């Protein structure tokens, strides 16, 4: 969780920083000899690093929170005092605050505390030190703060972990106490409830429970292995994207996962991203790289045959794994992996075709995310007008392209965010953000224009007059990385996949051995109808089977015992069934024919059901 | 083309070796100062290395062939003479045959000529040299030969290329003359005709003509880039294999292309194949490898959850690219690539399930190759009974497994080849060979049993008594490497893909601009029926369009001009069409409804048509 820069503090951040001071003040009452480090603002709260006579436990949190509440009730002033550097050093030395002295000494010697920018609120400037008083508590601090402690909102201490002073292992080890801070108790409660919900929905937990993917110590972290259930999910998602693309004239292509480095030297990626690539030295001493993206390879398919304006646009798509050399410590579940499956696409088109092609992609994105009930918002990511030197290509091309994207954005949505400086270096883009069912916002799909690579690879087509003209590329992945999309989608649905996406749509749960055969017949009947039915043939009790099917979140469950199985052992469309519908407490009575029709309809319409 | 070991010579080889001597004799008549190297037997003929006063051209071949014919007509004896080594050295020195002297000198000094075993026919033994006379031509040679030159069959010189003496670049550069030699003129003619046919069918040429795949200098050799047409072909083939597997309970899984080396240390591949792997050092200094096969990864999915006998067998399949670090010089078209797409599968089963599972795979293989009209033959590849130490696992397991495979083979085919010593080190296998339309035989699918990896990874399941039992693995790819299968299949069909497999099934060829719109309507009608129809919207002449569609080998072509397009511009099932059927000279008249039904039928039945 990154700390925020004091320069970027808004009203809420100011309050959160004051909350950090109240925590430090409470700590000083609990441990008068505590030595304080730094205490910056982070997302949803703050932390404070400190050296204490004993390890803090979460049991101490209650007492600290009580003291903080008392400090708030006293409604103390946050009072600023300026002090010459040498005086400040003497002041903190007298109080035994060695870390503050360390900061001030650096500030005096070097004109800087050598803290990371975002931790640097706890200091003065080069000439004088700035201190903040709250009652008898005093801290080295540039501010800003709220005026009185009564203005500090709702606080809850979260956790404690270890941290080295200045982040260096050779320095003293401190304790870092994290806290949440919100303007109101309601907002804090809502946040805690959201976290609790998020914890329940953690995709790593659901993935394990439902057997969607696994990791192996022998294969390594960040390299998920997809089980049959997870692979089916991936395929259903990917088939859906393909269905949406196919009607717009996309064609599948296929490329290898490696290339000579020359490809990336030409594209410009080698110079910019070489250290993020997995590199291979072949037995013939050639230098190869694993592909971190697909565009350079795709340009080579486009370039294989000369193109006429009549063939444009050319739309390639491919779902394939790309690889990036991430630090092992950064890998987490499906959110951050080494093997990234992209549902990638590249449209090679003329300048005049950008709008139509981008609109088609937007349609696909809207339809796809709408199917899951995600709420989308949009940002137009443009050049930074103050730094034209950061971007490749002629300004007039940029203007045309930005105008073209802006036109689409304005035509399609009323509320959109303007993002000057958010463009890629090779072109502007439209970014889509999805809000999930517990209110979290994830950046998802993107429509990117690219002048740069077509030029580097000399891509062109022959226009109506027989002249060569440069080609423009649009990059677009709908899911982006399937792994990351799945992590978001699993948490959004809480693992309750809609019928069309559920790896098993129907669970058949025979009560006893003698019900196995008729259950298998029923399963075959469902399968013949194109449905995904699963028969639990284990010798567990039916109660355990029911719980198992529930844990797997299978939309429809059928207990098959003497009461349910027809005497003839044969199933017909009119056979009455007691169907356990996911999310309903009581079984629903319907005929076999009705059940089949219902599951088929929910699949065909990709309904958010049952 | 590998040379054959003299020890393995059969009657035909003996004749071919004598043919090499006749070439050398003819050369000595043309260039009395020629210095001869070695002249071994190879597949379908022979070559001879020699140092000549000028580069030989194919124009010289006629004259040489004439001399050879004369030598045959003279019906000269092949006469053996033995000579002490020192005498032989003096004998060849006097004749200026420096390379023979070089061989004899080595033989005298080291007891060996230091030639590769398969070139070593041209020598004696350590004590005496063996020479062969044919008229006034004499060569250092161990034989064996035919008795008289009249017994040498039909010879044709093929080509000349460069070769270093003893294969070392620091030695003299020689000319290597290749020749074909067959017992009869008919066999030679048949072989030449087959080669001519193979040349026309070369998959590299057809692949380029039909735009199926391409190579890029920036990406590198051995790394095909699949165009939309080629990708569609791959998908149709792969979908077919999946259709055949699905009914037998296979499930798809998905794995990354890399792994920590620990996976291959455990499987045993690291010790055996490390130098064939692409290796990667990550930024965290871990050693990774690209996967050269999928089995070790798949074991980790199987091992993720404990398995009961009720779940066995477990059948995983996955079509995915594997990578092997081949020498650049060995790469050729699709026959030998670095990125190998395998339609791989692994069945984890109990010993008692081997037969049934192998039978299922055999069914799939028969059905798949039968669809293309390949004729299959079978080899049972067993242990070498004289070298039990070369194989892993207990002898009684081998016996059971071999007996199980033998039972299947005997039950299913009358003629099969026994292959003692052809097993993999981890288990016996059934190998399938496909004979193509011009008589060439290719090793294709394989059913492999494996005791070894399940043991290395500790794979087990719980049996009926609650005890752990070891698991057996069956490895099976149907196409094997899709690239290699496609190279064989393209040459087998000559690029005339059956309707179900043709990237475009119908070509719509409008005569003039005004026919474009009705042609597009017709295309949409075909597409709505689920057919693959392609509209040539270029502004070429209709003659050129027809030739284009023919070059692409599209099964059905429709010229659409004033005569063909209905006056209303609307198409109905009754509209009469003049259909150009691939392979027929004249257009066939049928209604639109009939054409649609025909293409659908040929697709559904996977007919070898039109």
């Amino acid at each position: 969780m990154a700390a925020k820069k004091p320069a970027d503090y808004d009203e809420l951040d100011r309050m959160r920083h004051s909350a950090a001071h109240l925590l430090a003040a409470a700590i000083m009452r609990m441990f008068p000899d505590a030595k304080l480090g730094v205490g910056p603002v982070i997302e949803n709260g703050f932390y404070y690093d400190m050296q204490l006579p004993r390890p803090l436990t979460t049991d101490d949190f209650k007492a600290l929170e009580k003291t903080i509440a008392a400090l708030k009730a006293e409604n103390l002033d946050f009072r600023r005092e300026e002090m010459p550097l040498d005086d400040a050093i003497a002041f903190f030395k007298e109080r035994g605050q060695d870390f503050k002295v360390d900061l001030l000494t650096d500030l005096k010697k070097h004109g800087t505390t050598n803290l990371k920018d975002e931790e640097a609120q706890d200091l003065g400037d080069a000439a004088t030190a700035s201190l903040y008083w709250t009652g008898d508590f005093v801290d080295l601090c540039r501010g800003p703060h709220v005026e009185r402690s009564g203005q500090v909102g709702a606080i809850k201490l979260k956790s404690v972990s270890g941290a080295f002073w200045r982040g260096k292992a050779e320095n003293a080890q401190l304790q870092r106490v994290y806290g949440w801070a919100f303007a109101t108790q309601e907002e804090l409660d809502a946040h805690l409830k959201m976290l609790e919900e998020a914890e329940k929905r953690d995709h790593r937990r659901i993935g394990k429970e439902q057997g969607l993917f696994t990791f192996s110590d022998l294969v390594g972290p960040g390299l998920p292995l997809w089980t049959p259930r997870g692979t089916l999910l991936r395929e259903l998602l990917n088939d859906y994207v393909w269905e949406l693309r196919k009607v717009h004239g996309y064609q599948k292509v296929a490329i290898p996962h490696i290339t000579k480095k020359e490809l990336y030297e030409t594209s410009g990626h080698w110079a910019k991203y070489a250290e993020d690539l997995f590199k291979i030295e072949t037995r013939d001493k050639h230098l190869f790289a694993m592909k971190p993206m697909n565009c350079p390879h795709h340009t080579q398919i486009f370039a294989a045959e000369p193109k006429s304006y009549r063939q444009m646009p050319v739309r390639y798509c491919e779902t394939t794994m790309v690889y990036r050399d991430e630090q092992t410590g950064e890998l987490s579940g499906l959110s951050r992996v080494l093997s990234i499956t992209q549902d990638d696409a590249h449209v090679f088109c003329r300048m005049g075709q950008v709008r139509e092609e981008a609109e088609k992609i937007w349609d696909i994105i809207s339809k796809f995310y709408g199917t899951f009930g995600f709420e989308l918002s949009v940002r137009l990511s443009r050049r930074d007008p103050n730094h034209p030197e950061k971007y490749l290509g002629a300004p007039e091309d940029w203007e045309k392209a930005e105008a073209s994207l802006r036109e689409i954005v304005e035509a399609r949505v009323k509320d959109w965010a303007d993002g000057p400086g958010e463009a890629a270096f090779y072109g502007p883009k439209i970014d889509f953000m999805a809000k999930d069912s517990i209110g979290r916002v994830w950046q998802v799909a993107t429509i990117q224009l690219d002048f740069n690579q077509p030029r580097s690879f000399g891509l062109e087509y022959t226009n109506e007059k027989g002249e060569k003209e440069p080609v423009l590329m649009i990059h677009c992945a709908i899911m982006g990385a399937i792994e990351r999309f799945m992590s978001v989608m699993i948490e959004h649905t809480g693992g309750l996949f809609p019928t069309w996406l559920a790896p098993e749509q129907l669970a058949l749960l025979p009560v006893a051995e003698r019900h196995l055969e008729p259950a298998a017949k029923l399963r075959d009947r469902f399968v013949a109808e194109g449905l995904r039915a699963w028969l639990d043939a284990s010798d567990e009790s039916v109660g355990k089977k029911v719980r198992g099917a529930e844990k797997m979140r299978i939309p429809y469950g059928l207990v098959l015992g003497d009461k349910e199985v027809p005497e003839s052992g044969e199933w017909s469309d009119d056979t009455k069934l007691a169907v356990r519908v996911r999310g309903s407490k009581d079984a629903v009575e319907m005929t076999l024919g009705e059940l089949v029709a219902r599951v088929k309809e929910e699949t065909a319409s990709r309904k958010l059901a049952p």
Side-chain angles (χ1 to χ4, degrees), chain A:
Chain A
M1 231 182 296
K4 285 198 175 182
K5 291 188 204 179
D8 295 336
Y9 279 8
D10 59 15
E11 197 180 343
L12 186 58
D13 295 326
R14 227 165 42 228
M15 185 280 279
R16 283 174 175 154
H17 185 44
S18 301
H21 275 228
L22 294 193
L23 166 64
I27 283 284
M28 294 307 295
R29 290 200 184 174
M30 191 180 264
F31 305 106
D33 295 334
K35 293 180 198 300
L36 300 174
V38 295
V41 171
I42 55 174
E43 203 184 350
N44 301 317
F46 59 88
Y47 68 74
Y48 214 117
D49 289 348
M50 45 191 80
Q51 196 173 44
L52 303 178
R54 66 165 171 85
L56 213 57
T57 68
T58 46
D59 289 343
D60 295 317
F61 285 6
K62 282 237 170 77
L64 288 167
E65 282 167 358
K66 212 169 163 183
T67 311
I68 291 169
L71 288 166
K72 280 165 63 179
E74 290 174 37
N75 208 19
L76 303 162
D77 276 353
F78 275 87
R79 189 171 54 80
R80 183 185 171 100
E81 178 185 353
E82 298 208 347
M83 208 180 267
L85 275 189
D86 285 330
D87 293 2
I89 290 173
F91 179 84
F92 283 106
K93 194 174 272 174
E94 194 195 321
R95 282 172 147 74
Q97 291 297 344
D98 301 344
F99 302 116
K100 305 289 177 183
V101 172
D102 184 42
L103 294 175
L104 288 165
T105 309
D106 259 33
L107 189 60
K108 191 183 163 189
K109 271 196 203 152
H110 311 294
T112 166
T113 56
N114 290 317
L115 281 170
K116 280 177 286 172
D117 197 26
E118 60 271 24
E119 293 173 346
Q121 62 274 34
D122 287 345
L123 46 73
D125 56 39
T128 54
S130 157
L131 283 65
Y132 265 90
W133 290 88
T134 328
D136 56 1
F137 172 73
V138 64
D139 202 351
L140 175 67
C141 175
R142 184 158 57 184
H145 280 282
V146 294
E147 285 161 22
R148 289 180 311 279
S149 64
Q151 293 167 345
V152 171
I155 294 175
K156 188 173 167 56
L157 298 182
K158 180 188 167 195
S159 60
V160 60
S161 64
F164 293 107
W165 172 239
R166 291 180 180 276
K168 286 181 187 150
E170 67 268 26
N171 289 345
Q173 187 165 3
L174 311 181
Q175 299 186 58
R176 175 170 294 179
V177 181
Y178 288 95
W180 291 289
F182 285 86
T184 65
Q185 188 64 39
E186 289 70 38
E187 283 168 278
L188 174 61
D189 289 347
H191 183 70
L192 295 178
K193 202 172 148 51
M194 189 275 285
L195 288 178
E196 195 188 333
E197 194 51 41
E199 168 65 24
K200 271 193 252 164
R201 291 161 177 259
D202 188 314
H203 75 274
R204 290 165 297 188
R205 210 164 60 83
I206 292 175
K208 200 173 161 60
E209 261 175 31
Q210 296 200 19
L212 300 177
F213 52 87
T214 186
F215 290 91
S216 156
D217 287 343
L218 294 172
V219 174
L223 294 168
L225 303 167
W226 294 91
T227 62
R229 297 186 97 241
T231 305
L232 187 53
L233 255 174
R234 284 163 61 95
E235 290 230 327
L236 289 165
L237 290 169
N238 193 51
D239 288 350
Y240 184 26
V241 170
W242 169 238
E243 186 185 308
L244 297 173
R245 278 176 171 160
K246 195 179 175 185
V247 293
H248 289 303
Y250 282 75
Q251 297 177 299
K252 292 186 189 175
V253 294
I255 59 171
H257 300 81
I258 56 175
T259 174
K260 281 164 61 182
K261 80 169 192 303
E262 282 77 354
L263 185 72
Y264 296 139
E265 284 176 340
T266 305
S267 71
H269 289 100
W270 192 263
K272 237 179 144 66
Y273 302 113
E275 73 167 21
D276 298 322
L277 305 182
F278 283 126
K279 285 169 284 288
I280 299 159
E281 197 187 75
T282 71
R283 68 161 79 202
D284 292 343
K285 303 295 166 202
H286 295 132
L287 191 52
F288 279 30
M290 292 194 79
K291 64 180 162 107
M293 74 280 296
N294 305 301
C295 27
H297 279 86
H298 284 182
T299 66
Q300 298 304 290
I301 301 178
F302 179 87
E305 294 287 335
K307 295 285 185 297
S308 131
Y309 69 98
R310 286 186 184 264
Q311 293 165 279
M312 305 288 284
V314 171
R315 306 174 193 90
Y316 292 155
C317 67
E318 179 174 13
T319 298
T320 175
M321 286 188 189
V322 300
Y323 290 83
R324 291 176 195 167
D325 190 357
E326 306 264 7
Q327 267 152 14
T328 309
E330 290 173 0
L331 304 172
S332 165
L334 299 181
S335 312
R336 198 81 172 260
V337 292
L338 297 176
S339 53
I340 305 158
T341 314
Q342 287 185 338
D343 61 333
D344 211 359
H346 298 101
V347 177
F348 300 84
C349 64
R350 313 173 74 170
M351 179 58 92
Q353 295 170 327
V354 167
R355 175 156 182 183
E356 191 181 338
E357 291 305 310
E359 291 249 25
K360 284 178 184 171
I361 298 170
W362 192 318
D363 285 346
I364 295 171
I365 293 170
S366 293
K367 177 87 181 158
F368 183 81
Y369 286 90
T371 299
F372 294 92
F374 284 111
E375 207 179 286
L376 286 181
S377 57
V378 170
R379 179 179 64 207
L380 176 63
S381 295
R382 306 186 287 111
R383 272 172 312 173
D384 182 344
N386 302 320
H387 293 284
E389 76 286 355
K390 282 167 62 183
Y391 304 90
L392 283 169
E396 56 275 20
D397 285 341
W398 273 90
E399 271 149 39
K400 264 191 263 176
E402 286 187 4
S404 159
L405 292 190
R406 179 188 296 269
E407 237 182 298
I408 307 167
V409 169
E410 283 176 345
R412 293 187 68 127
V413 282
K414 244 190 261 170
D415 288 326
W416 51 275
D418 190 22
E422 299 283 345
F425 71 91
Y426 48 73
K429 54 187 180 135
I430 303 174
D431 291 323
F432 292 83
M433 267 71 63
K435 193 175 183 174
D436 75 10
S437 59
I438 58 171
R440 294 175 301 179
V441 173
W442 309 91
Q443 179 161 341
V444 286
T446 288
I447 305 175
Q448 298 188 6
L449 290 197
D450 182 358
F451 312 90
N452 185 43
Q453 278 190 74
R455 187 176 301 128
S456 305
F457 287 111
L459 305 186
E460 49 188 22
Y461 69 97
T462 307
N463 70 11
E464 291 85 340
K465 297 175 196 154
E467 304 156 344
K468 300 285 183 198
E469 276 194 23
V471 162
L472 203 70
M473 262 172 99
I474 306 177
H475 307 244
C476 176
I478 305 300
M479 291 185 270
I482 293 190
E483 289 76 13
R484 186 163 173 280
F485 174 77
M486 279 183 72
S487 76
V488 170
M489 189 273 291
I490 290 171
E491 301 193 357
H492 171 65
T493 59
L496 299 163
F497 304 120
T499 303
W500 71 270
L501 193 56
E504 299 92 9
Q505 299 172 316
L506 298 139
L508 281 67
L509 314 168
V511 173
E513 189 82 28
R514 67 184 174 281
H515 305 115
L516 256 177
E517 203 188 306
K521 273 192 190 164
L522 185 56
R523 187 224 16 228
D524 294 346
R525 191 177 175 113
F526 285 130
V527 169
E529 295 277 2
L531 307 183
R532 297 188 293 275
W534 171 71
L535 171 62
D536 186 346
S538 72
D539 39 14
E540 301 292 354
S541 72
V542 72
K544 198 155 178 195
K545 285 181 183 178
V546 166
R547 285 191 297 280
E550 279 172 0
K551 201 178 103 187
M552 301 299 263
R553 308 286 200 278
I554 301 175
Y556 296 97
L558 294 167
V559 172
L560 301 171
D562 288 339
K563 219 174 66 186
E564 290 81 8
V565 173
E567 266 184 51
S568 64
E570 299 298 323
W571 304 91
S572 80
D573 274 358
D574 299 329
T575 310
K576 287 230 168 78
L577 300 169
V579 183
R580 305 178 63 94
V581 183
R582 189 180 68 196
S584 308
K585 230 180 151 188
D586 300 316
V588 181
E589 188 159 293
M590 58 182 107
T591 65
L592 174 51
E594 283 164 352
L595 176 59
V596 167
R598 176 166 168 170
V599 176
K600 277 190 175 177
E601 195 281 320
E602 286 174 359
T603 304
S605 65
R606 291 206 167 80
K607 204 167 167 177
L608 267 175

